[in-house]
Each structure stands twice: as structure tokens, then as C-alpha cells.
Amino acid sequence: MDSDELKKMSAKAALEQIKDGMIIGMGSGSTVMHLINLIGQRIKNDEIDIMAVPTSYETAQLCISSGIRLTTLDEHPSLALAVDGADEVDPNLNLIKGGGAALTKEKIVGSAAKLLAILVDESKLVKTLGEIAPLPLEVLPFAKSTVLNQLKEFGIPQVRMSNRKLGPVVTDNGNFIIDIFDLRIRDYSKMEKQLNAIPGVIENGLFVNMADIVYVGSEKGVKTLTKL
Ligand code: 5RP
């Protein structure tokens, strides 16, 4: 099975969390897109009503076309459930997120939810964060060079460049993304605070102690990981 099929399996399993009338924090990325499609089918077939707080333009568009009504944190500042993907998951369910540059809204929405459910394929499971993915930070463009200087002690920082636009990736919030490769520090809680204390850093992609349940699509079926 390819990784997209495994992602779809995890999305199918996570569907068990979705109940009629729910207001869901909706993460971003290809795995969440599968879940949105599946919710869309349930809305059509079972006539359930679902609202979502989207974490990116892409998620908002797909929610609209799937029949999921959009709402905001201003209207619903606390949510029963948020669902999202991840770039890495460690054995304590700490995450790296931000591969799709939506980490700031994802962290806000995830922290507003009583239950944060993460959907991944098994390739995302790591022993130590930073093994396969860089750590992304959303950074104010004005502060790019000063932030890059201060990030050198944590690894190798690089401004993320666009594929189909000249220059850097610009986030939905109008900022840049700096990815830290070869992460050097292992105390994630401390690092999360240190990174956010750098002037110009809007948010970082370390999600420490936030995920409650992780659905892992694997060749052997879906594994469900929960906090110990
Ligand atoms: C976006 C994210 C995504 O959830 C993460 O990159 C995983 O994406 P995918 O489900 O496409 O593998 O953090 O900012």
C-alpha cells in the first residue's frame, strides 16, 4: 500500500470521533483532506450537520465543497474535538507539524480543543523528533535574518522556498517559514518556549503534550495510540 492509502485508512478510523452536530477544529494537509471527504459523504448520506473551524485556506475550501459549514474561534472559542495530521509523532505523542505551513492556526485550534486527534501513516512514527522532518517556525518577514542568526544553536535553519512562486513561501497569515534541519536539542518543552521567546517568531511546529489520540494507518491495519 502506498502512503496515501495508509493516510486514508487512518482518516476512516478517525471518523468514529465525528458525531452529528459537532463543531470541529479542522487541521490541514492531505490526511485531513481524506477525512473531510469522508465527512462530506456522511453529510450527504446520513444528513448529519457538521461545522468546522478551518486552519488554512485549503481546508476552508474543501470544507465548503464537502458541505461542512465554516465557523470561527470567535463564535466557538472552545471545541470538543480537533483533528489534524502531523509530520512526526514520537512515542510520547509529541509532534512536529507545519509541513503545510499552517502550524500557527493548527496549534491555536488544537489547544482550543478538549480532544486533539492526529491522523498519520506509519512513516511518521519516530523515536526522536527531528529524525525525518525539519522543525518549521512561522516568522515575521521583517525579522527573518535576526531569527536565522538566533536559530543556529538549535540546528541548521533555512527559509522555506516556494515551488511554483519565486522567493519564499508566504503563509496564510502573510509570514515566512523557517525550517530547522538537524535539530540539536532534545528537551522539547524547553525548546518550544525558547523558540517562541525569540522576537519575530510567531509560532513553532513543536506540539508538546497536545495530542490525545493518534490514528496510525499501517500495513497491518490502523493502530490507535493514546497518552500513557
Ligand atoms: C500542515 C501540517 C500537516 O498536518 C502535516 O504536514 C501533515 O501533512 P500530510 O497529512 O499531508 O502528510 O502540519 O501544516
Side-chain angles (χ1 to χ4, degrees), residues 120-154:
V120 292
D121 68 89
E122 60 187 345
S123 71
K124 308 284 185 70
L125 299 182
V126 296
K127 281 205 184 108
T128 310
L129 294 182
E131 245 170 69
I132 53 173
L135 173 64
L137 284 83
E138 181 159 2
V139 173
L140 199 74
F142 180 78
K144 176 196 72 175
S145 300
T146 52
V147 172
L148 277 171
N149 266 343
Q150 292 175 76
L151 290 180
K152 284 179 189 149
E153 64 173 293
F154 298 95

Side-chain angles (χ1 to χ4, degrees), residues 3-4 7 27-34 55-56 58 83-88 96-104 106 118-121 123-124 136 160 177 205 207:
S3 91
D4 199 55
K7 287 177 180 187
S28 300
S30 56
T31 320
V32 170
M33 296 302 131
H34 285 305
T55 54
S56 63
E58 186 182 58
V83 290
D84 210 338
D87 301 303
E88 288 189 349
I96 282 185
K97 286 188 45 56
L103 60 123
T104 301
E106 289 172 337
I118 297 296
L119 292 51
V120 292
D121 68 89
S123 71
K124 308 284 185 70
R160 192 183 298 179
I177 294 288
F207 284 49

